[in-house]
Amino acid sequence: MAVDDLMLAYVVNDGPDPAGAEYDATSDPAGWTFLRNEGDAASDSSIGVFWKIAVTADLSTSNYTFTSTGSFDRSCGILRISGVDTTTPIGVSGTFTSTTGTTDDIPGITTINANSLVIGFAAGDGADTSPFTVSGTGWSEVAEIVSASTGNDGNSAVWASKEMATAGATGDPTITMNSSDGIGSFMISINPQ
């Protein structure tokens, strides 16, 4: 990691707060910015996304604590992205979708800048929903996270990405889970320098 890298934290759990307040601005550690929280009964999971532009102190920090209002199984990952607009790193934030089954199409967005990186987030209700597969033109899997609980308990999540050389429509990537359960997803674009 380097100073001015974007840190994008993705925090998930296996129980939704129908009011959409499982994660909020009070959940973030000092210096982090809350982006959004999503979750509903169909997905039976909640997704919280936070971001931070790295400063010198972050280079020697190995842990950050994000809190939630519920007592569900949680998992978290932090993605580091270089070459971003450090003033306005987040471009477009797309629509949340949820379903029950083995697949979910993340609703596409239209990027506003050339050379944007698009990140799709999906969370499954249950650790047994991992591994995931990501399909769609130009889309690839970045990482998966799984809570310590096993089977239908716990949660799992996947990040997908696509580089957009020109501004425009991203398409709708398909996330396929290992087992049928609730899944929720959305995507955002990252503004380049």
Side-chain angles (χ1 to χ4, degrees):
M1 184 164 46
V3 170
D4 289 338
D5 282 353
L6 172 65
M7 295 186 292
L8 195 61
Y10 178 43
V11 187
V12 299
N13 68 38
D14 68 337
D17 182 338
E22 186 68 30
Y23 301 102
D24 59 24
T26 64
S27 305
D28 53 332
W32 286 80
T33 300
F34 170 70
L35 179 61
R36 67 189 283 186
N37 175 86
E38 297 290 352
D40 64 12
S43 67
D44 199 22
S45 59
S46 287
I47 304 169
V49 177
F50 304 83
W51 65 271
K52 182 180 193 307
I53 298 297
V55 297
T56 303
D58 294 310
L59 304 181
S60 60
T61 302
S62 59
N63 292 300
Y64 298 93
T65 301
F66 296 88
T67 59
S68 72
T69 59
S71 58
F72 305 103
D73 290 319
R74 292 184 239 2
S75 53
C76 176
I78 298 176
L79 183 63
R80 178 195 57 84
I81 305 169
S82 300
V84 304
D85 178 337
T86 57
T87 304
T88 311
I90 308 301
V92 178
S93 188
T95 303
F96 175 75
T97 186
S98 65
T99 191
T100 299
T102 57
T103 63
D104 186 28
D105 292 334
I106 304 176
I109 58 175
T110 301
T111 60
I112 54 176
N113 295 307
N115 300 312
S116 291
L117 177 65
V118 181
I119 304 292
F121 304 98
D125 175 37
D128 59 348
T129 57
S130 176
F132 296 87
T133 57
V134 176
S135 58
T137 304
W139 285 92
S140 60
E141 181 176 322
V142 176
E144 293 188 22
I145 53 176
V146 180
S147 67
S149 297
T150 59
N152 194 40
D153 292 331
N155 64 70
S156 56
V158 63
W159 277 313
S161 71
K162 180 177 183 174
E163 294 183 24
M164 298 288 293
T166 59
T170 61
D172 302 350
T174 298
I175 305 298
T176 303
M177 300 190 299
N178 183 56
S179 63
S180 182
D181 212 328
I183 183 173
S185 62
F186 64 90
M187 69 174 70
I188 64 170
S189 66
I190 307 299
N191 291 326
Q193 282 179 320

